[in-house]
Amino acid sequence: MTKNVYEKTFEKLKGFETNVQELIQELETERAKKKDIDKVRLILTKCQSAKTSFNDK
């Protein structure tokens, strides 16, 4: 069975989410500025929102 575009998008967003979470951990480990970490967290929040949207289709 082939995956539809929504399933493919969901899976790619899931992978992207994992990468962004790892990046946040690295930034926290390196004690980056909170302002910079928050910018990356905003990307994570948007990604999670989009992922939820595509998972519901």
Side-chain angles (χ1 to χ4, degrees):
M1 181 178 166
T2 59
K3 296 179 183 178
N4 69 33
V5 70
Y6 294 104
E7 291 170 329
K8 288 180 185 177
T9 303
F10 172 77
E11 289 180 9
K12 288 186 181 212
L13 286 170
K14 190 174 176 182
F16 181 73
E17 177 185 21
T18 301
N19 291 338
V20 173
Q21 288 171 335
E22 290 172 3
L23 178 59
I24 290 171
Q25 289 176 345
E26 289 177 28
L27 289 168
E28 290 173 340
T29 299
E30 295 297 321
R31 299 184 188 268
K33 294 179 183 176
K34 184 182 181 314
K35 178 181 174 184
D36 294 333
I37 295 171
D38 287 345
K39 288 177 185 176
V40 179
R41 281 197 176 119
L42 180 60
I43 295 168
L44 179 62
T45 302
K46 296 293 185 181
C47 176
Q48 289 169 333
S49 176
K51 189 181 77 168
T52 301
S53 176
F54 281 98
N55 192 32
D56 292 342
K57 302 264 180 199

